[in-house]
Amino acid sequence: MKNDNGINKIQKTVMGVLMNFILIVFSLSCIFPIVWMIYSSLKEKRAFNADIIGLPKAPTLVNYTRILTNSDYHLAESMFNSVRTTFLSIVLIVLFSFIVGYILARVRFKLNRVLYVMFLMGMLIPIHSLLVPIYVVFRNCGLSNKWFTLLLPYVSFGLPMGIFLVEGYVKGIPVSLEEAAAIDGSSFSNTLWKIILPICKPILVTVAIIQIFSCWNEFSFALVLLKDVSLQTVPLALTQFKGQFASDYPKQMAAMLITMSPIVVLYFVFSKQIIKGMVAGAVKG
Amino acid sequence: MKKKWLGLLLSTAMVTSMLAGCGGKADETSTPASEPTKEPTKEASEEKSTPAAETPSDASADGVTYVGDLEIMHYSTSEESEGNGGSDGFRTVLKMWDEMHPDITLTQNVLANAEYKTQIATLAAANDLPDVFLLQGMNTIDWANQGLVYDLTSDIKSSPYYSDYNEAYFAPFTVGDSIYGYPALTGGTCTVVIYDKAMWKDAGFDTFPTTWADIEKASEYFNGQNITTVAFGNGGKWQANSCFLSTLGNRYTGPDWFMSMVSKGGAAFTDEEFVKALAETQRLFTETSIFNEDFNVVTNEDAREYYISGDAAAFIGGNWDESYIWATLQETDQEKWSNMGFAVLPQPADATKAPKSQNIGLGYAVAINAKLADNPEKLAAAIDLAEYITGPEFASFVAENYALGGLTKVADVDLSGFDPITQDFYNWSYVDTETCEIYDSYITNAVWDVLNTDLQTMMNGDMSPEEVAANAQKAYEANY
């Protein structure tokens, strides 16, 4: 009996070490690119080209000073554009996803399922096939090359995923809750905003997180619909570090680290909510 | 608590970086080359000379009466122009034209090259090209046939600089008898062999061998020393086409074959001479030990590091690689720098044409939106702009500051202010060698995508030259 316990203990320890080792390797594989970016941004272009992985022999901040002192790079402007576009897109996506998702889940009307499927179809259409038609429509309507231009495609293409998640989540909420509210005299909008909205908070956070990343990183629409350099978003501004025949990777990495900072700040400030939302999304979505 | 502090710290860092970004606004009128950079550029020993811009009062002298907006789209970003003479010259001369025409509001949309190509293709598809833009050679036929680009033939022929134009550069932008653009930026070679004179002398060669048979002999010596004979990088797939086959093919087919391909005059990728060029390419890369083993994995940017570090005795690349190697060695290894030599690709044993040829050309031209024909005054301004940024001002700037050539010939370029290596490269590029066309300046990407992918497979030994030729021909017939 004692011997069995000993073997179990050894098995547990070995398993624990093995599992931890695997997890540590996975964690390192996630963290390493960022660490690599940080120390590579401290190298000069030639030092980086000569040794891509190695640590910098003569660390320098020259990439940062070049980026921050050259107005041609307009990184601050592009960050502002990205923050504005992402923030407004998320507000609209979350708001519309919640309302539409709730109505599709709860209100019975004739074309309910048809409408739902039509929204979901938005997830199936490859964006690149729509670039030229959307450009033509935007140009003819005078909507291209404006500060709000990107809001329209971002919200439109963000809605299918949002509606899909909210609809599924609302279906999981017992109808009796709304019935009880109705018996107590709560109006439709009161029930929607004061009772259902707080319950849906985890899924809405999930929607917001997914869409923040997709809007912040979106490239194709930003490239095609915006001509004015002063309206460029971060992913577009970062392309300028790549030339026709050569790329300045350390400078690109320094720029990426600078432009990543708002998202990192956002993550640390809302990390609790984000983890909660991710988990809620994983279970309910 | 810890997280709050971290959050606060990061917020502060972000705000500081944003403020610094806003606060560091440099003088917008300064040329990009004037920004502090440690990277040495190939400028003549004296201070950079900028052609004297005409004063605004002279503006009417060029006959431009247009008042209003004019839009130009190009890819000479601030980054691109660092150490790149063509881009630096383009930005400088464009700024001069802008200053000379205060009544015209010149709007520049500048994107990096890859993004430029995507956006200009979208704009062309939507028939919404900018007033003035850079036309890529391979788009000329399609866009001209669709009526998107203004026919500049008579304007070019009546240009005051016409007699100084290097007419060969117009070829990619000509459809029938019509010319659709002023070839822009600088003409740099796409295939140059850069070699270390001292290393080759040790191997028993006073000059770089002119035949591949001699290179194979040399490779026995270099392999014994654990040195790669010739470094090459085809990781991006385009290098084997642009920096090798384009020149080697010309040695077998001669220039008429390719021009026949361009004009659909009956030549085919499956023609015997071209297949021979493919077969020789395959033989050199699979059956000899001349090149680095990882040539199909690394890019030209990696391969040139083999040369810089002394692990390779020679390197094949384009003029952009030459300027990088020149700058790096000048800073890090003066002796190796002074041993830099330039050569054309060696001649294959069974090739009979143009043994001294190298591919050179201008891949882009300044073109004008056909819609400007409705507004003659604006059109005149656009033509004046196109003429100016490809004319003598530009040519003098790049010749005097970078020892480079463009569309307009500059008589008696004074190279005395340059170092001997730059002088050698100038003479090698523009004086001592024959020129041939750069394949992918013409035809269409749909064909080159197929050929480049197959070429890479063929260089691994997994595909026959005949199959590569047949696939390329199929793509050519389907897309061109």
Side-chain angles (χ1 to χ4, degrees):
Chain A
M1 196 68 187
K2 210 179 170 186
N3 208 11
D4 276 0
N5 273 347
I7 290 169
N8 276 346
K9 217 176 168 186
I10 292 169
Q11 264 184 346
K12 253 189 181 173
T13 316
V14 171
M15 280 300 285
V17 170
L18 199 73
M19 289 297 285
N20 273 305
F21 176 75
I22 293 170
L23 290 174
I24 286 170
V25 169
F26 270 107
S27 308
L28 284 179
S29 72
C30 293
I31 295 167
F32 180 71
I34 303 213
V35 176
W36 176 64
M37 259 172 69
I38 292 170
Y39 73 73
S40 294
S41 72
L42 303 175
K43 285 181 182 178
E44 286 229 51
K45 183 179 170 184
R46 275 171 219 142
F48 178 81
N49 286 350
D51 182 7
I52 293 171
I53 294 289
L55 289 167
K57 283 178 190 136
T60 168
L61 288 173
V62 70
N63 292 315
Y64 290 92
T65 47
R66 278 184 194 162
I67 288 167
L68 296 172
T69 52
N70 187 345
S71 65
D72 280 326
Y73 294 144
H74 60 271
L75 275 191
E77 210 172 22
S78 66
M79 272 164 81
F80 173 73
N81 291 334
S82 273
V83 169
R84 178 178 58 192
T85 309
T86 306
F87 175 75
L88 292 175
S89 301
I90 298 311
V91 168
L92 294 172
I93 289 171
V94 168
L95 183 72
F96 292 142
S97 297
F98 173 64
I99 296 170
V100 177
Y102 177 78
I103 288 173
L104 287 174
R106 283 288 193 258
V107 183
R108 285 188 191 172
F109 56 96
K110 221 179 179 182
L111 294 175
N112 183 308
R113 286 301 92 183
V114 177
L115 206 61
Y116 179 63
V117 170
M118 275 179 70
F119 271 117
L120 291 197
M121 296 262 274
M123 285 200 283
L124 305 175
I125 302 170
I127 282 179
H128 292 94
S129 66
L130 296 174
L131 282 180
V132 174
I134 286 185
Y135 174 78
V136 174
V137 171
F138 269 59
R139 187 200 57 186
N140 291 345
C141 297
L143 291 172
S144 62
N145 212 26
K146 302 270 191 296
W147 70 266
F148 54 82
T149 296
L150 293 177
L151 292 179
L152 292 159
Y154 289 3
V155 173
S156 318
F157 284 94
L159 276 179
M161 169 73 81
I163 290 169
F164 175 69
L165 290 175
V166 172
E167 201 257 7
Y169 194 86
V170 172
K171 272 190 169 166
I173 303 170
V175 187
S176 50
L177 205 67
E178 285 141 277
E179 288 170 351
I183 290 166
D184 287 345
S186 170
S187 66
F188 177 81
S189 55
N190 193 57
T191 307
L192 181 68
W193 298 112
K194 295 219 170 122
I195 295 168
I196 302 299
L197 182 67
I199 298 172
C200 287
K201 210 169 114 188
I203 199 68
L204 293 178
V205 171
T206 309
V207 172
I209 294 161
I210 295 170
Q211 295 306 328
I212 282 175
F213 292 125
S214 100
C215 292
W216 184 268
N217 293 321
E218 203 284 331
F219 180 76
S220 306
F221 283 121
L223 171 63
V224 169
L225 298 177
L226 300 177
K227 271 194 200 169
D228 198 337
V229 173
S230 66
L231 293 173
Q232 282 185 344
T233 52
V234 166
L236 216 53
L238 287 178
T239 61
Q240 63 192 317
F241 300 103
K242 202 174 175 313
Q244 195 180 0
F245 298 111
S247 309
D248 193 340
Y249 291 111
K251 208 189 261 181
Q252 206 166 355
M253 287 176 187
M256 279 158 104
L257 287 168
I258 292 171
T259 52
M260 255 167 62
S261 53
I263 291 275
V264 175
V265 170
L266 209 70
Y267 179 81
F268 278 103
V269 173
F270 294 108
S271 60
K272 256 190 192 166
Q273 276 290 353
I274 290 171
I275 302 288
K276 250 193 198 168
M278 287 277 197
V279 174
V283 176
K284 300 285 184 182
Chain B
M1 193 63 189
K2 252 185 184 176
K3 260 185 191 155
K4 265 190 185 168
W5 278 109
L6 192 61
L8 192 70
L9 196 72
L10 287 163
S11 309
T12 319
M14 183 185 78
V15 171
T16 317
S17 70
M18 283 184 90
L19 285 177
C22 301
K25 199 169 168 75
D27 178 10
E28 287 201 348
T29 55
S30 67
T31 58
S34 66
E35 87 182 51
T37 165
K38 262 184 103 179
E39 193 163 295
T41 51
K42 275 191 179 186
E43 284 160 24
S45 47
E46 304 107 52
E47 220 168 89
K48 186 187 285 189
S49 68
T50 308
E54 295 162 47
T55 53
S57 56
D58 293 337
S60 56
D62 57 22
V64 176
T65 51
Y66 174 70
V67 178
D69 295 329
L70 190 67
E71 188 187 16
I72 181 168
M73 197 167 148
H74 63 90
Y75 62 86
S76 287
T77 58
S78 171
E79 188 72 23
E80 186 84 48
S81 66
E82 270 183 38
N84 177 336
S87 284
D88 187 17
F90 189 87
R91 286 173 68 100
T92 306
V93 179
L94 195 59
K95 202 179 120 228
M96 284 160 57
W97 189 90
D98 192 16
E99 282 167 4
M100 281 160 53
H101 298 86
D103 293 338
I104 298 175
T105 311
L106 186 71
T107 311
Q108 296 186 46
N109 290 322
V110 196
L111 287 168
N113 183 270
E115 286 66 41
Y116 174 84
K117 286 196 268 191
T118 309
Q119 200 181 66
I120 203 83
T122 312
L123 296 175
N127 191 11
D128 192 29
L129 285 166
D131 300 328
V132 184
F133 58 97
L134 289 179
L135 171 70
Q136 204 178 358
M138 67 172 75
N139 290 328
T140 310
I141 295 179
D142 281 350
W143 293 6
N145 289 341
Q146 289 168 38
L148 299 174
V149 199
Y150 181 76
D151 182 350
L152 287 161
T153 317
S154 57
D155 305 287
I156 287 170
K157 290 192 171 157
S158 60
S159 159
Y161 318 128
Y162 185 66
S163 57
D164 293 329
Y165 285 160
N166 190 336
E167 283 188 50
Y169 287 150
F170 284 105
F173 314 102
T174 306
V175 183
D177 293 328
S178 302
I179 308 171
Y180 289 91
Y182 292 84
L185 303 166
T186 48
T189 181
C190 282
T191 313
V192 54
V193 182
I194 300 165
Y195 68 102
D196 186 317
K197 289 177 185 167
M199 288 171 95
W200 284 83
K201 199 163 188 180
D202 292 345
F205 295 90
D206 285 338
T207 56
F208 194 77
T210 51
T211 65
W212 283 106
D214 279 347
I215 302 276
E216 282 177 59
K217 262 185 228 159
S219 75
E220 285 167 23
Y221 166 81
F222 285 121
N223 291 344
Q225 309 268 316
N226 246 343
I227 291 171
T228 301
T229 312
V230 181
F232 189 69
N234 185 39
K237 290 199 283 195
W238 57 267
Q239 293 95 339
N241 183 346
S242 295
C243 307
F244 198 88
L245 184 66
S246 186
T247 297
L248 196 88
N250 183 59
R251 304 289 180 80
Y252 283 91
T253 64
D256 295 343
W257 174 85
F258 188 63
M259 290 330 284
S260 168
M261 289 293 294
V262 174
S263 62
K264 295 192 199 172
F269 283 112
T270 47
D271 288 346
E272 193 192 342
E273 294 304 313
F274 184 72
V275 176
K276 271 189 187 171
L278 289 174
E280 176 68 357
T281 305
Q282 188 178 44
R283 187 189 74 80
L284 291 169
F285 280 92
T286 57
E287 291 174 25
T288 70
S289 49
I290 295 171
F291 297 96
N292 43 309
E293 281 179 8
D294 54 357
F295 65 84
N296 247 347
V297 182
V298 298
T299 66
N300 56 310
E301 290 182 62
D302 306 314
R304 64 194 184 195
E305 294 296 337
Y306 297 163
Y307 175 80
I308 290 167
S309 64
D311 292 336
F315 165 79
I316 296 175
N319 68 84
W320 53 92
D321 294 309
E322 188 276 337
S323 48
Y324 178 85
I325 292 171
W326 180 94
T328 306
L329 289 180
Q330 201 205 33
E331 197 179 283
T332 58
D333 191 342
Q334 280 282 334
E335 198 189 330
K336 199 170 173 62
W337 175 77
S338 61
N339 279 325
M340 273 175 83
F342 307 104
V344 292
L345 271 193
Q347 184 79 337
D350 56 343
T352 53
K353 309 241 167 59
K356 284 180 80 180
S357 60
Q358 47 104 358
N359 59 347
I360 193 167
L362 298 175
Y364 288 86
V366 181
I368 292 167
N369 188 339
K371 288 179 188 167
L372 257 61
D374 301 336
N375 185 344
E377 280 195 338
K378 193 172 184 180
L379 177 67
I383 291 172
D384 186 74
L385 170 67
E387 229 167 46
Y388 190 81
I389 57 180
T390 57
E393 262 75 11
F394 173 79
S396 305
F397 181 88
V398 293
E400 287 165 18
N401 294 297
Y402 291 95
L404 288 168
L407 169 67
T408 312
K409 289 176 215 153
V410 181
D412 309 322
V413 179
D414 179 19
L415 293 172
S416 59
F418 289 97
D419 60 88
I421 312 298
T422 304
Q423 291 184 25
D424 279 357
F425 192 57
Y426 181 90
N427 288 325
W428 181 89
S429 299
Y430 303 113
V431 184
D432 301 334
T433 50
E434 287 172 48
T435 60
C436 62
E437 299 300 337
I438 304 162
Y439 283 172
D440 52 8
S441 284
Y442 300 80
I443 308 186
T444 162
N445 252 341
V447 174
W448 302 126
D449 283 346
V450 171
L451 180 74
N452 293 355
T453 305
D454 288 353
L455 208 52
Q456 198 178 40
T457 314
M458 185 194 83
M459 287 158 73
N460 275 339
D462 298 330
M463 208 170 178
S464 72
E466 288 77 15
E467 285 174 297
V468 175
N471 286 350
Q473 183 61 23
K474 214 166 132 189
Y476 173 77
E477 283 164 16
N479 299 293
Y480 187 62

